[in-house]
Amino acid sequence: LDVYEKLVLKLKRITYNEPLYTIVDRPNIELDTYTDMVLIELDDLHVPYFHKKYGSNSQIMGIYTNRKFEIPKSPKRMKLSRKMPAAFPNNTESIKLNETDFTVPIDYLRDFGELSQRNELPSLADDPSMRMLYENSKPKPISKVMDLDYFKKKHIRGDKVKIALFDTGVVHTNEYLDRKKILKIKDYTDEENFTDHHGHGTFIAGILTSHHKKCPGIAPNSELIVYKVFSAKKISHTQWFLDAFNDALREGVDIINLSNGGNDFKDEPYVNKIRQLVASGIHIVSAIGNDGPYFGTLNNPADQLEVLGVGGLNFDGNNVAAFSSRGMTTWELPRGMGRVKPDVLASSENIYSLGLTKDCDISSGTSVASPIVAGGIALILSHFRKQGIEINPAEMKQAIIESSKPIDKLSIYEQGSGAFDPVAALTYLESSRKNKFSAFPSFYNLTDPFFFPYNLQPLYATGMPIFFNSTLINGYGLNGEIEGVPEIAIENVALVDRPKLPLHDQLSDFERMFSQESLLPSDVLDINLDYSKELYPYFGHFSFWVTLSETYPDLRGEIMLHIKINGRVTNEEAREQVGFSSTIRVLFNIIPTPERERRILWDQFHSLKYPNDGYVPRDSLELYDYAYEWHGDHLFTNFHETFKHLYDQGYYVEILRENFMCFNSLNYKVLMVVDPEELFTDLEIMKLHHDIEMEGLSLLVFADWYNGPLIKKNEFYSQITETIWKPITGGSNIPALNSLLHSYGMAFGSGSYAGAMSIDNSSLSIASGTNIAQFPGDGYLLTARLKNETDLFINRPTLTRYDIVPVLGFVPQLQGFENSGSIGLFSDSNCLDSSYMKYNCFWLLDELLHAIKKDIVLDRDGNYRSEILSPEFKLPADFHQGERVVYSQQAQNFDELLKNSRNVINKCFFGYMSEERMLEQSRAFEAYQGYDYKKFESRDKITNWDTSHGFYVPGFGSIDQLSNQEFYSYVSLVITFTFLVVVIFIFCKSGARRKVRQNVFVL
């Protein structure tokens, strides 16, 4: 546990004969601060801590002082784009903690009252556990972070290395910064001065080059160029960065440190400039962000292939810091798989460096982890430069990744390669320095918790593809290319009933490298690849997706997949071609195909992140940190706790990355549609209705708020684009969901509600959920008394309005369909979302799944013994509460906006497409060749992947069963749709996006 949690948990060990506090009820006061942060001062030592969640339970922390109980307020602000991740104590409340004061954990209270003191409080100094806490709260100088003595003995001090610092400026008059080593301080803000108003830039500069004995810098002899790109108002623009980047190119800097970042990876001028800098041989180190402990919260540019993304270690160096952002990257969603980030972790808590108004100060965050790595790189470059050897960015990244020390009990998406060790990296380059080609990760072990959540995905026949995405690192030089088709070998590790191997003369050269006793037939796995043909600058991606062949449904055990990648690079000095190769390995756990009742399909396809010309607003309106949701809505990111829970309950969850035409419903018992934003086409709706009514597929929908005035209320003027940002929908696309549910007499309403409800002994928390407006008779419908957020945010009433609204509905079987599946609706998805849940609703999910499988026990009267299927909740007749939300003018506008970025063209294409290829797709649709996609050059097909099963036309069967008239009617429909999309795209492309985007950087 990190120091923040120790402050709370150690104090919990203190026991008392009587309760310390009396809760005085005061109505209409609500406590909702579980994501805020407080700064505590212990003898002038800043100890920040978060309102953390422990496992699936949330706790609210408060600060008790001898004056009153302080509750930090939620900042009424929206973080847009880039920011300074570790600008403590910015955006916090500083509370003096005296010796007789201490922190008390408070259970979440819906109605919060005053706390009155009952007993004398003990002195902190009298508790031995607190003395240990004080020791862990002391400043941590750089000498405790890395072995500076090792470098001093070798006379490695960072000589002849230029480091560019992009920050808030620097206090150049600080006597502990060598003015001769500060080559330039240049202001790119609108303030026309280079004064550091916040101390952030000075602190980072001190980590790099300080000469102070108490807080020495890592590379004091390195040269520093400071670019002020943040104003006193804590904002910046992309153009300021671009101008400063160009100057850094002219100055010939070796390293750029970016202790800042943002969540918008679509800022193309900025992203492309980063790639240009790396192509010039500059090592770019960037903080991964302070949006932990949540997954899918990586900041840009740290999430780019070419950048070394640095996460944070806790004070003891044995765990990831609570605030450090976690992976995976979300560029590739919804169809692909994110890359592993961060690349490495470095110390980030209680770091000691130069302050703004005094000699040394203390700070925490990934902002301080980034310059620690940048300083270590400066030492390594300096050492080899004395020998006349230059290390390129790819070689440096290889050395750091392969010499880092993995931390036990952390997954790869939390720590990347592990803890940064500059001595080990230097030793690695000295002992085995050679230009080489590698992949990260180069090995996936799907049986090891280190690869969570991959270890929750066994491989079996008829399952959806499992996706992987590695980063290719070309240490040979700037340019490289992949030659031919990668080679494949499948090896038996511990397989039961191994399939027979074909004749030896049918094997490839790569397969012959393995013994025939261990080699398996190549048709055991269906493997598809998508990768960078050209590796520029230095880096590329290698994505592949794997399924078990349906000819081996009963296979079980472990197998190893080997993929050998071959390439070549031009050696500029020798003017000759140099060949290279690297192998990626995957260890799979093969199991027999699970029974249908245990298989769940998760709809990833209809989740959007950054649609064109608009944004998807946050799911919980009470949270003001971000205007929009950006964590990916993926089982590997903000729904990983739900994924883990379902796995622990014995379910097998697969990810649907395609439209509803692309799965065989006979393989699955349940389709889960959670927080969708994408449209559902008419063909998708027809297909799903067929699956529910005729094939027994059940549907579970978890929605979110939708309200026209509230959507309008979430519009805001953005300095990023100098335009008004408009939400394209609400928290969920309720009109689209209603079009999906309309035939069954079900519909969601246009409200937004928040609060709590209980069913028997179980509780539910709803955060900006919608309401159920229509539901059929004989179904079960549950209501709750909730706060009306629509009234609260639109009308701003003096008294909060509470309404009784339906939020949970369940139909065990559709009337008139003997073999139909069930349908369950819930008004909110935040209770499944790891990033926003106050309390999880896993118990509700379990109840719904038990009801679907009909394994709920009946009582003596023949009623279900279930919390949600009680007779009191059964509707005697159809329920109607107002009109259902349909495609209004606003929704039609939304439809038009999405046509540019639509992925649905009713054809299955299992695969990851890189950002460049997605842009190609959007400029002009590829022509159909029959009903197959035109093959992309870099999408090589290794084994036969039959996608015909995914193209199903309800009422007609598979495509080869269509009559000529039906066939030509269908082709006409497809051609008409394609023509409309192309026309709309050309129109929007010509006029809607002419402005160059600019980003606001918020401290």
Side-chain angles (χ1 to χ4, degrees):
L1 295 175
D2 56 46
V3 67
Y4 312 147
E5 297 170 34
K6 286 178 182 176
L7 183 61
V8 174
L9 296 184
K10 285 184 179 294
L11 286 164
K12 288 173 71 175
R13 297 173 186 166
I14 303 174
T15 59
Y16 304 93
N17 295 326
E18 298 180 13
L20 282 175
Y21 303 112
T22 300
I23 305 297
V24 181
D25 290 334
R26 192 198 306 175
N28 299 326
I29 297 179
E30 296 182 357
L31 176 63
D32 186 15
T33 59
Y34 70 103
T35 58
D36 294 340
M37 179 178 63
V38 175
L39 190 74
I40 309 167
E41 296 181 5
L42 294 173
D43 291 344
D44 297 327
L45 302 182
H46 297 311
V47 184
Y49 79 94
F50 292 91
H51 301 289
K52 280 295 302 302
K53 288 183 288 192
Y54 299 91
S56 60
N57 297 319
S58 301
Q59 283 187 320
I60 305 301
M61 309 301 175
I63 305 299
Y64 181 84
T65 71
N66 54 13
R67 299 178 302 279
K68 60 180 179 178
F69 190 85
E70 305 270 359
I71 292 294
K73 298 177 180 178
S74 296
K76 298 298 185 287
R77 58 190 171 85
M78 293 182 178
K79 297 179 183 176
L80 293 179
S81 194
R82 309 194 180 278
K83 57 188 179 298
M84 310 296 293
F88 294 146
N90 290 333
N91 300 322
T92 65
E93 294 192 3
S94 184
I95 300 171
K96 187 66 178 179
L97 190 67
N98 299 321
E99 258 200 353
T100 57
D101 303 332
F102 67 98
T103 306
V104 182
I106 306 295
D107 291 334
Y108 181 80
L109 302 174
R110 204 166 122 50
D111 293 318
F112 175 71
E114 295 178 346
L115 299 177
S116 61
Q117 187 174 346
R118 291 276 302 273
N119 293 19
E120 286 292 324
L121 303 180
S123 171
L124 291 179
D126 294 336
D127 183 28
S129 64
M130 289 308 300
R131 285 197 292 272
M132 184 183 299
L133 175 61
Y134 268 96
E135 291 297 319
N136 289 345
S137 301
K138 288 182 178 179
K140 194 172 186 180
I142 299 300
S143 58
K144 299 292 185 181
V145 172
M146 65 171 61
D147 189 358
L148 292 181
D149 290 337
Y150 173 88
F151 293 99
K152 286 182 181 179
K153 292 175 182 178
K154 287 181 169 286
H155 305 288
I156 305 173
R157 307 280 284 168
D159 299 84
K160 299 181 180 180
V161 175
K162 290 183 182 180
I163 305 176
L165 178 63
F166 290 70
D167 221 286
T168 60
V170 68
V171 180
H172 68 289
T173 57
N174 193 310
E175 60 182 296
Y176 299 107
L177 291 175
D178 189 345
R179 299 183 190 180
K180 295 181 180 179
K181 295 294 183 180
I182 301 179
L183 303 184
K184 178 191 288 188
I185 305 176
K186 194 165 184 179
D187 173 44
Y188 281 95
T189 70
D190 52 8
E191 296 177 340
E192 299 182 355
N193 68 74
F194 48 78
T195 302
D196 183 1
H197 296 280
H198 305 285
H200 192 274
T202 303
F203 193 95
I204 303 303
I207 292 176
L208 294 168
T209 64
S210 168
H211 289 270
H212 201 294
K213 292 183 179 180
K214 292 183 179 179
C215 50
I218 297 172
N221 290 354
S222 59
E223 297 172 328
L224 201 61
I225 298 177
V226 180
Y227 297 105
K228 182 179 178 181
V229 288
F230 285 88
S231 69
K233 297 179 181 179
K234 307 176 185 180
I235 64 171
S236 184
H237 294 273
T238 296
Q239 192 59 51
W240 296 353
F241 270 81
L242 297 181
D243 292 341
F245 284 150
N246 288 332
D247 190 79
L249 283 170
R250 290 190 292 268
E251 292 290 342
V253 302
D254 301 300
I255 303 168
I256 288 178
N257 180 78
L258 296 167
S259 290
N260 45 68
N263 49 48
D264 185 5
F265 54 75
K266 283 199 170 184
D267 183 6
E268 294 183 17
Y270 185 94
V271 170
N272 291 334
K273 181 58 70 173
I274 291 292
R275 300 184 76 236
Q276 180 187 353
L277 293 167
V278 175
S280 300
I282 298 175
H283 302 256
I284 300 183
V285 185
S286 181
I288 206 70
N290 286 347
D291 295 296
Y294 310 120
F295 283 65
T297 55
L298 303 171
N299 282 231
N300 180 264
D303 62 348
Q304 291 186 223
L305 289 170
E306 305 83 7
V307 176
L308 195 66
V310 183
L313 283 169
N314 68 347
F315 184 89
D316 295 324
N318 58 4
N319 202 346
V320 62
F323 49 73
S324 184
S325 293
R326 274 71 161 169
M328 60 183 181
T329 64
T330 55
W331 293 48
E332 300 82 0
L333 301 181
R335 278 189 159 168
M337 190 68 188
R339 288 168 285 106
V340 171
K341 286 278 183 171
D343 294 302
V344 69
L345 300 180
S347 292
S348 63
E349 288 187 356
N350 291 13
I351 301 300
Y352 215 31
S353 184
L354 297 180
L356 187 62
T357 58
K358 53 186 177 180
D359 291 349
C360 294
D361 204 350
I362 186 173
S363 187
S364 298
T366 55
S367 272
V368 302
S370 179
I372 288 174
V373 174
I377 292 175
L379 296 176
I380 295 172
L381 290 178
S382 176
H383 172 70
F384 284 102
R385 190 160 286 176
K386 291 178 182 178
Q387 306 172 36
I389 300 174
E390 294 295 330
I391 307 294
N392 66 47
E395 289 177 293
M396 185 65 70
K397 192 168 189 176
Q398 286 171 336
I400 289 174
I401 285 175
E402 297 187 23
S403 64
S404 296
K405 298 176 180 178
I407 300 172
D408 292 339
K409 299 181 180 180
L410 287 182
S411 71
I412 192 170
Y413 289 123
E414 293 174 290
Q415 64 173 315
S417 60
F420 174 57
D421 188 340
V423 175
L426 179 63
T427 304
Y428 173 90
L429 288 169
E430 281 184 324
S431 61
S432 60
R433 183 183 182 273
K434 56 182 179 180
N435 292 325
K436 67 173 188 175
F437 172 70
S438 63
F440 175 67
S442 59
F443 175 57
Y444 297 85
N445 184 351
L446 272 61
T447 66
D448 187 349
F450 175 75
F451 287 92
F452 173 83
Y454 270 119
N455 65 314
L456 308 183
Q457 287 191 307
L459 194 64
Y460 45 83
T462 72
M464 284 291 168
I466 299 179
F467 278 63
F468 305 87
N469 195 356
S470 292
T471 298
L472 301 180
I473 309 173
N474 176 26
Y476 284 96
L478 178 63
N479 294 283
E481 61 179 272
I482 304 301
E483 284 191 309
V485 177
E487 301 175 80
I488 302 293
I490 306 171
E491 187 180 14
N492 174 24
V493 176
L495 202 60
V496 180
D497 297 331
R498 182 172 73 90
K500 292 183 179 180
L501 191 68
L503 297 177
H504 186 269
D505 56 6
Q506 296 177 347
L507 302 180
S508 67
D509 293 338
F510 183 56
E511 287 177 318
R512 291 193 181 99
M513 297 173 60
F514 302 88
S515 65
Q516 290 210 30
E517 288 73 23
S518 65
L519 203 60
L520 294 174
S522 59
D523 65 344
V524 168
L525 299 178
D526 290 328
I527 307 162
N528 283 255
L529 308 177
D530 180 273
Y531 53 88
S532 305
K533 280 286 190 180
E534 296 183 1
L535 306 178
Y536 178 88
Y538 298 105
F539 302 94
H541 80 273
F542 191 89
S543 178
F544 56 102
W545 51 103
V546 180
T547 58
L548 181 66
S549 173
E550 296 188 16
T551 58
Y552 302 99
D554 299 321
L555 211 58
R556 64 189 186 278
E558 294 181 358
I559 65 174
M560 183 80 77
L561 168 65
H562 302 262
I563 304 177
K564 184 181 179 183
I565 307 166
N566 302 299
R568 59 186 172 88
V569 64
T570 302
N571 188 319
E572 299 295 341
E573 297 179 0
R575 296 186 179 278
E576 62 181 6
Q577 297 289 324
V578 178
F580 58 77
S581 66
S582 183
T583 301
I584 295 176
R585 298 176 298 140
V586 184
L587 179 63
F588 289 101
N589 177 31
I590 309 293
I591 65 172
T593 302
E595 59 181 346
R596 184 189 188 191
E597 281 67 24
R598 290 289 178 182
R599 294 178 66 178
I600 298 173
L601 191 61
W602 179 278
D603 177 22
Q604 181 67 39
F605 182 76
H606 294 92
S607 292
L608 295 176
K609 183 176 179 180
Y610 288 123
N612 291 342
D613 302 311
Y615 76 96
V616 178
R618 61 196 183 279
D619 292 333
S620 178
L621 293 171
E622 293 181 343
L623 300 180
Y624 294 91
D625 281 354
Y626 291 94
Y628 44 81
E629 61 175 45
W630 60 287
H631 297 179
D633 282 354
H634 194 278
L635 287 176
F636 277 36
T637 57
N638 51 314
F639 287 103
H640 71 274
E641 289 185 32
T642 300
F643 191 14
K644 178 67 164 58
H645 173 80
L646 289 171
Y647 177 83
D648 291 341
Q649 298 301 310
Y651 295 102
Y652 297 89
V653 187
E654 302 171 33
I655 301 173
L656 177 64
R657 293 176 168 89
E658 299 293 322
N659 62 77
F660 289 164
M661 309 296 290
C662 301
F663 72 92
N664 185 348
S665 62
L666 293 176
N667 293 330
Y668 305 96
K669 187 63 177 179
V670 181
L671 171 67
M672 289 187 65
V673 179
V674 180
D675 186 21
E677 295 93 18
E678 183 55 289
L679 299 170
F680 301 97
T681 65
D682 290 342
L683 281 174
E684 285 185 288
I685 295 172
M686 291 169 61
K687 162 68 161 54
L688 185 60
H689 286 185
H690 170 271
D691 293 342
I692 294 173
E693 297 163 11
M694 309 304 296
E695 307 291 354
L697 177 71
S698 293
L699 174 67
L700 289 182
V701 177
F702 287 76
D704 275 301
W705 69 274
Y706 183 96
N707 179 268
L710 275 181
I711 292 174
K712 182 71 174 177
K713 193 79 172 179
N714 276 271
E715 295 181 359
F716 62 92
Y717 180 79
S718 170
Q719 297 183 44
I720 299 172
T721 57
E722 298 180 347
T723 59
I724 296 176
W725 278 40
K726 297 181 179 181
I728 60 170
T729 183
S732 290
N733 189 347
I734 296 300
L737 281 174
N738 285 347
S739 67
L740 193 70
L741 301 169
H742 176 57
S743 297
Y744 303 124
M746 303 178 189
F748 289 106
S750 60
S752 178
Y753 300 91
M757 62 178 292
S758 62
I759 307 172
D760 291 341
N761 297 321
S762 302
S763 298
L764 279 173
S765 176
I766 297 174
S768 301
T770 185
N771 61 298
I772 297 176
Q774 294 182 18
F775 210 71
D778 293 331
Y780 296 84
L781 190 64
L782 285 72
T783 62
R785 182 176 182 271
L786 302 174
K787 177 173 61 179
N788 189 317
E789 288 188 325
T790 306
D791 180 65
L792 180 65
F793 291 126
I794 298 298
N795 300 323
R796 303 288 182 183
T798 304
L799 296 177
T800 302
R801 173 181 155 191
Y802 287 82
D803 296 333
I804 297 178
V805 293
V807 294
L808 174 63
F810 185 78
V811 175
Q813 189 172 17
L814 298 179
Q815 294 184 12
F817 295 95
E818 182 179 354
N819 299 315
S820 80
S822 307
I823 298 179
L825 309 181
F826 187 58
S827 67
D828 187 29
S829 71
N830 285 287
C831 59
L832 300 179
D833 190 329
S834 306
S835 297
Y836 302 116
M837 68 171 65
K838 294 180 180 179
Y839 292 111
N840 71 60
C841 58
F842 295 159
W843 71 268
L844 173 62
L845 182 58
D846 293 342
E847 285 281 321
L848 291 171
L849 292 173
H850 284 304
I852 287 172
K853 294 189 301 176
K854 309 293 192 300
D855 59 1
I856 294 179
V857 181
L858 300 178
D859 61 20
R860 294 180 179 178
D861 298 326
N863 297 315
Y864 289 114
R865 292 173 60 183
S866 166
E867 295 185 39
I868 62 173
L869 299 186
S870 171
E872 63 181 302
F873 301 136
K874 193 167 186 179
L875 286 172
D878 291 350
F879 168 76
H880 295 275
Q881 186 185 47
E883 295 298 321
R884 67 188 181 95
V885 180
V886 296
Y887 282 101
S888 61
Q889 182 62 43
Q890 183 177 15
Q892 292 173 7
N893 293 338
F894 165 54
D895 190 5
E896 294 297 320
L897 286 174
L898 283 185
K899 282 185 178 178
N900 282 342
S901 60
R902 285 286 290 162
N903 294 322
V904 175
I905 53 178
N906 296 312
K907 177 63 181 174
C908 304
F909 174 54
F910 290 97
Y912 157 78
M913 289 195 295
S914 63
E915 186 74 12
E916 297 84 9
R917 198 149 310 113
M918 289 175 69
L919 290 174
E920 288 178 16
Q921 279 281 99
S922 64
R923 292 195 182 98
F925 283 110
E926 295 291 343
Y928 284 109
Q929 297 182 351
Y931 274 82
D932 291 326
Y933 266 102
K934 180 180 179 182
K935 299 296 187 297
F936 290 112
E937 188 177 13
S938 63
R939 182 177 176 263
D940 295 308
K941 202 159 189 173
I942 302 302
T943 56
N944 292 326
W945 174 256
D946 181 15
T947 59
S948 62
H949 68 277
F951 190 65
Y952 180 87
V953 182
F956 298 118
S958 59
I959 195 68
D960 55 1
Q961 297 174 324
L962 296 180
S963 65
N964 288 339
Q965 182 176 357
E966 293 167 340
F967 176 83
Y968 290 118
S969 298
Y970 199 77
V971 170
S972 300
L973 176 64
V974 172
I975 293 175
T976 302
F977 174 79
T978 304
F979 175 78
L980 288 174
V981 171
V982 172
V983 170
I984 294 172
F985 175 80
I986 294 174
F987 173 80
C988 296
K989 187 72 176 178
S990 63
R993 297 182 62 85
R994 290 179 178 174
K995 289 190 176 182
V996 177
R997 290 185 79 184
Q998 290 185 324
N999 274 4
V1000 176
F1001 295 64
V1002 182
L1003 276 170

